[in-house]
Amino acid sequence: MNCNYACGSSEHDIHRRQFLGTLAAGTGAVVGGLGLFAQPAFAEQMAKQQKRMLVINMHGGLSQLESWDPKPGTTTGGPFRAIPTSVPGVHISELLPHTAKQMHHLALVRGLNTKNDDHGKGTYMMLTGRRQMPGQDYPQIGAVVSRALDSNARSLPGHILITPGGGGGRSADSAYLGPKYASIVLGNGNPPQNTTLPANLTAAAAAQQEELRRLANDRFLSRRRTAQTDAYTQSYEAAQELMRQREAFDLTKESPKDHERYGTHDFGRHCLMARRLLEKGVTFVQISHSNYDTHNENFNFHFEQLGEFDRPFATLMQDLYDRGMLESTLVVVLSEFGRTPNINQYYGRDHWGRAWSVCLGGGGIARGAVIGKTNDKGTEVTEREADAGHLFHTYLKALGLNSKGHFDLGGRQVLMADPAFAPIKELLA
Amino acid sequence: MAIKADPKAAHVAQEFVHDAPLITCRFDPMGRFVFATAEDRAILRWDLATSQKTVFTAHDSWVGALAFTPDGTTLVSGGYDDTLIWWSATAEKPAPLRKVKAHAGWIRALAVSKDGKYLASAGNDRVVKLWNLADGAPVREFPGHDRDVYSLLFHPSGQFLLSGDLKGQVHQWEIATGKLARKFEGKDLHSYNGGQGVDFGGVRSLALTPDGKQLLAAGLHKATNPLGAIHEPIALRFEWDTAKLVKTHISEDVKQGVLWRTMTHPDGPLIGCSGGGNGGFLLFWTADAEKPFHKFSLGNTAREMDLHPDGVQIATAHYDKKLRLTKLSPKPAAPAAVPAKKA
């Protein structure tokens, strides 16, 4: 997209000697981008007031029958039993004994019907609140929340994904909201790539280089400022801030006791990293747990996977509460669909978008609520059917946003969420 | 006169039907009944002479394992409800004689010592436990597996108990002292899939050769897609004296297969029961061959197997709610048709 700002001309050729010859004059002005750094006291105040969101993406299709909506003793229930939780009358699978003790901080939506059994489409709709359409791309929830809630005073990126593997970098999940709100990926929870100075460059030399760069930038931008140069400036300054705040991503700064409480396996570490980032003011963090696509030996694998998920998740919820962060942090545990009530020949369950569940908690959510019901075998929703679009609206509303509102993108009004849906009011505190 | 088993003459001689997919099956030691368990939490008993079916329930979940006193009068069931239940195996309407909350997790395997003194149980809490079979009193625990225990076997000498886990490790325990005597390394039976984040496989079954000189550990391998059921059956043959792996038995044409149970036939062949996407099979190997000399299609995914004391009948439990009795002997000739009388 070419967007010409002050000069109004399409001139882009620069004579290098002419440009460099004028550098000596300089301007000393900072144009655009994240040039401001918050004072510590102001940052602390912002941190206490800000809303945050944490998404835990259970990749592959978490079985609702082995988690949030068990049906023990039925032809579809499988072998696992249901256990009581800290909310009287609410039972979840015996595979989640620690989470059961945190139920008073959580809520369940059991009536999801997204009518989709495809991994890609399911992930898309659960993270954007929209159906995937050809020729149209929508921003994921992290980009929307970051765009709506971040301020320029915040110095850390507002949209961070912690993935099980991968090398990190930046995703293209912000669509028309622009690269500023695209996620930064921490592959396996490692710090962002390329955030340390090269060994042969001292801090003093780097500072001098930076000053020269700023002078050159300011000179250039005073005559040719476009959307692309803004994006470049923002990206560059965001990267510099990441380097300055590299310690925010250093999990060794957390206590050995906390490492032990969360567990030293990947998911445990990622939960601890999520707590750290949320505490430092990151607006949106998403972590993943993989994989739940259990067409084969569903019960063995859910025993293994939820056994890994349960304690760190419960620990994270308790820590958010103990640190006074839970009221301002929306927590969502989602997947791309559920799993079939029917048990196949391999003791597996297959893709199922017709009657499944998600779990929410924290800020803005009615604690202990159970919204929606399925029939005794879990084959149909019988009460308060909901879609991914309803959930998306609910997330925004829980964060104090007007989910029917819009973003102003260069004069164009773009709705934050799909207008065909509305928040699930019973789910809101 | 006893019939000699002929695997190549295998045929399904009889089917028993239930209302829910079956999980496991065992003959009683006297060979009078065949028992099975099902996904409706029931334990089923069929009288082989009359085909009479008896259904009894008491577990709060599926039943994963069955075992008997050597005289066949008492049945012990191990459930995914952590509970052991003692039953009269021969009563007209079996009722629980004793319930013991035995484990903190699924009971996956049971075994009874040759002298009938001990019952061993194990499963998801990773602790092998020894019980007095007669009265259910706990005798000893054998902690030390670092993952779920899938299989158990008493050594006929009475000295040792063997247990196999998800990681392919077989532990040999001294019954008298509780000490770990040694391990058999069945690493081919385990894999970790980093992309899916899962451990998979395990020692699904243990067996000894009749002379006690070799140990078989069976399960699956080539698990390129554990969550999608892409793997193949495999049995490892170890020399008892040295714990050295001396042979591997496979069946490469059984894609999506797992050996749920393996047994050594008194006449020599190794028998394996495999279930998977291609259906259920009985596989037969000689001790010195990698590939089976015979593969018999059972017609539906098989989940467990047992050999009748007569050495000719094999029971298999199936997903299609049927228990199949396969006979390793030629089909009896059909009776000659009686010509119709002319008017």
Side-chain angles (χ1 to χ4, degrees):
Chain A
M1 177 179 79
N2 279 321
C3 174
N4 301 306
Y5 288 177
C7 68
S9 77
S10 59
E11 181 182 340
H12 292 292
D13 289 332
I14 298 170
H15 290 286
R16 187 172 176 78
R17 285 180 189 169
Q18 177 189 3
F19 169 67
L20 288 174
T22 59
L23 266 183
T27 64
V30 175
V31 179
L34 298 171
L36 298 171
F37 301 106
Q39 295 298 314
F42 180 61
E44 190 180 329
Q45 185 188 5
M46 286 291 294
K48 279 184 183 169
Q49 291 173 352
Q50 71 170 109
K51 300 286 188 184
R52 308 167 190 84
M53 184 173 181
L54 169 67
V55 168
I56 301 177
N57 191 346
M58 312 284 265
H59 284 290
L62 168 68
S63 171
Q64 69 285 357
L65 293 154
E66 274 68 58
S67 59
W68 314 121
D69 193 13
K71 308 281 183 189
T74 66
T75 54
T76 58
F80 292 116
R81 295 160 293 178
I83 55 172
T85 69
S86 56
V87 176
V90 176
H91 290 66
I92 61 176
S93 172
E94 65 173 311
L95 293 177
L96 296 165
H98 297 282
T99 301
K101 295 175 189 168
Q102 297 293 325
M103 209 65 220
H104 53 288
H105 294 312
L106 300 168
L108 299 176
V109 174
R110 285 178 169 163
L112 261 192
N113 181 1
T114 47
K115 305 175 181 66
N116 164 69
D117 297 339
D118 178 85
H119 285 294
K121 288 177 183 168
T123 301
Y124 188 90
M125 75 171 69
M126 290 302 289
L127 292 178
T128 65
R130 311 254 193 176
R131 293 304 190 268
Q132 213 166 13
M133 303 288 287
Q136 176 67 59
D137 199 17
Y138 292 103
Q140 293 191 8
I141 181 66
V144 171
V145 167
S146 175
R147 173 69 165 81
L149 295 180
D150 274 352
S151 82
N152 282 339
R154 216 175 312 287
S155 53
L156 280 170
H159 182 189
I160 292 182
L161 304 189
I162 303 172
T163 58
R170 200 163 191 121
S171 295
D173 48 16
S174 55
Y176 44 73
L177 295 181
K180 181 179 177 182
Y181 302 104
S183 63
I184 286 181
V185 177
L186 308 184
N188 200 19
N190 293 320
Q193 294 175 328
N194 305 316
T195 50
T196 51
L197 285 177
N200 58 352
L201 186 65
T202 64
Q208 281 186 329
Q209 282 188 359
E210 171 61 14
E211 182 57 25
L212 178 63
R213 185 194 71 83
R214 281 188 174 278
L215 286 174
N217 261 18
D218 292 347
R219 172 70 181 167
F220 185 92
L221 291 172
S222 66
R223 294 188 61 205
R224 290 174 183 82
R225 186 183 169 197
T226 67
Q228 289 100 318
T229 59
D230 264 6
Y232 178 84
T233 303
Q234 288 162 0
S235 295
Y236 197 94
E237 295 192 356
Q240 287 196 305
E241 188 55 25
L242 276 179
M243 293 174 71
R244 270 187 278 272
Q245 301 228 35
R246 183 180 166 79
E247 190 180 288
F249 304 96
D250 185 357
L251 211 50
T252 64
K253 301 296 182 192
E254 298 293 340
S255 70
K257 184 181 173 190
D258 274 349
H259 280 277
E260 191 274 330
R261 290 170 62 233
Y262 279 82
T264 52
H265 50 75
D266 287 349
F267 184 70
R269 290 190 302 104
H270 298 171
C271 284
L272 182 54
M273 175 64 89
R275 188 193 80 180
R276 183 174 177 81
L277 293 174
L278 291 167
E279 203 163 27
K280 292 200 176 291
V282 174
T283 307
F284 181 93
V285 177
Q286 179 175 309
I287 55 180
S288 300
H289 197 220
S290 183
N291 194 288
Y292 287 89
D293 195 20
T294 50
H295 296 279
N296 186 31
E297 300 200 9
N298 169 79
F299 309 108
N300 283 342
F301 287 128
H302 271 76
F303 173 70
E304 180 176 351
Q305 300 292 49
L306 289 176
E308 193 172 88
F309 165 86
D310 184 43
R311 189 162 71 97
F313 173 67
T315 304
L316 179 56
M317 292 302 298
Q318 187 62 45
D319 280 358
L320 290 175
Y321 174 75
D322 289 343
R323 291 164 187 240
M325 293 166 62
L326 193 57
E327 283 303 320
S328 57
T329 304
L330 170 65
V331 179
V332 178
V333 182
L334 55 74
S335 196
E336 58 258 48
F337 39 63
R339 302 213 77 82
T340 53
N342 179 60
I343 300 165
N344 67 31
Q345 59 182 327
Y346 319 111
Y347 293 116
R349 295 191 194 269
D350 302 307
H351 302 175
W352 180 256
R354 201 175 308 161
W356 59 292
S357 308
V358 294
C359 174
L360 301 90
I365 298 297
R367 313 294 175 79
V370 177
I371 310 299
K373 264 188 190 174
T374 52
N375 62 11
D376 61 342
K377 292 183 182 175
T379 55
E380 298 288 342
V381 176
T382 56
E383 224 175 90
R384 197 47 175 103
E385 186 171 297
D387 185 89
H390 296 114
L391 287 174
F392 200 89
H393 274 267
T394 306
Y395 305 153
L396 299 179
K397 197 77 179 156
L399 290 167
L401 299 167
N402 175 11
S403 69
K404 301 266 187 194
H406 57 265
F407 294 119
D408 188 322
L409 302 178
R412 189 162 64 99
Q413 311 287 296
V414 178
L415 287 168
M416 293 171 73
D418 189 335
F421 299 96
I424 303 171
K425 289 182 183 166
E426 313 94 287
L427 194 48
L428 296 166
Chain B
M1 189 171 72
I3 301 172
K4 185 169 169 55
D6 179 6
K8 292 192 176 177
H11 65 280
V12 176
Q14 200 170 1
E15 292 180 349
F16 299 107
V17 185
H18 184 54
D19 306 319
L22 302 184
I23 299 169
T24 190
C25 60
R26 288 290 187 272
F27 290 104
D28 76 287
M30 300 295 110
R32 182 181 158 192
F33 301 108
V34 63
F35 290 77
T37 68
E39 289 183 9
D40 59 358
R41 303 180 169 183
I43 302 173
L44 319 165
R45 181 185 71 192
W46 284 281
D47 186 314
L48 293 174
T50 65
S51 299
Q52 183 183 4
K53 179 184 179 185
T54 307
V55 182
F56 46 106
T57 56
H59 279 279
D60 194 27
S61 183
W62 297 0
V63 178
L66 299 172
F68 298 87
T69 52
D71 64 5
T73 57
T74 303
L75 164 72
V76 182
S77 55
Y80 293 168
D81 59 355
D82 319 350
T83 303
L84 292 168
I85 299 182
W86 274 250
W87 312 80
S88 164
T90 56
E92 188 180 336
K93 288 183 183 174
L97 302 173
R98 179 184 303 114
K99 284 187 181 181
V100 174
K101 178 81 165 56
H103 286 271
W106 286 10
I107 298 172
R108 289 183 181 265
L110 294 176
V112 169
S113 60
K114 191 176 175 186
D115 61 6
K117 190 174 174 188
Y118 297 124
L119 170 76
S121 62
N124 283 3
D125 67 3
R126 309 177 183 181
V127 180
V128 178
K129 296 190 179 184
L130 198 65
W131 313 86
N132 188 324
L133 182 55
D135 60 14
V139 173
R140 180 167 284 112
E141 292 187 3
F142 305 90
H145 282 283
D146 60 9
R147 295 304 295 267
D148 324 336
V149 180
Y150 279 16
S151 52
L152 290 168
L153 180 70
F154 277 97
H155 192 272
S157 68
Q159 293 179 59
F160 305 112
L161 173 63
L162 298 156
S163 54
D165 69 20
L166 172 58
K167 287 289 197 67
Q169 301 267 301
V170 179
H171 290 204
Q172 179 183 342
W173 308 96
E174 290 179 3
I175 291 173
T177 64
K179 288 182 185 170
L180 178 63
R182 63 176 170 171
K183 292 182 188 179
F184 293 77
E185 298 287 346
K187 60 181 175 56
D188 288 342
L189 298 177
H190 165 262
S191 61
Y192 177 74
N193 187 297
Q196 296 178 352
V198 293
D199 283 291
F200 189 47
V203 183
R204 305 290 175 115
S205 177
L206 287 165
L208 278 163
T209 52
D211 60 9
K213 290 185 176 176
Q214 291 177 328
L215 173 72
L216 284 303
L220 59 87
H221 73 146
K222 291 188 179 179
T224 54
N225 183 355
L227 298 182
I230 306 297
H231 43 76
E232 295 178 16
I234 186 173
L236 305 178
R237 186 180 290 262
F238 297 91
E239 200 170 71
W240 176 260
D241 288 344
T242 62
K244 187 180 162 191
L245 179 67
V246 294
K247 199 72 195 171
T248 298
H249 303 284
I250 61 174
S251 185
E252 289 176 322
D253 55 349
V254 181
K255 304 297 181 189
Q256 298 185 281
V258 49
L259 279 182
W260 289 105
R261 184 111 194 263
T262 186
M263 303 181 73
T264 50
H265 194 279
D267 294 344
L270 176 68
I271 312 172
C273 161
S274 174
N278 292 341
F281 298 95
L282 291 175
L283 301 166
F284 301 87
W285 295 268
T286 56
D288 57 352
E290 183 182 68
K291 296 185 182 174
F293 67 85
H294 187 56
K295 183 176 91 175
F296 176 68
S297 175
L298 290 160
N300 185 262
T301 299
R303 289 170 159 185
E304 250 284 12
M305 169 189 86
D306 197 23
L307 180 66
H308 192 278
D310 66 8
V312 174
Q313 296 177 84
I314 296 178
T316 47
H318 292 266
Y319 174 71
D320 66 356
K321 311 173 189 177
K322 292 180 183 175
L323 185 135
R324 286 173 172 78
L325 277 186
T326 297
K327 286 193 174 171
L328 305 182
S329 59
K331 268 188 197 178
V338 175
K341 284 186 180 174
K342 286 186 181 174

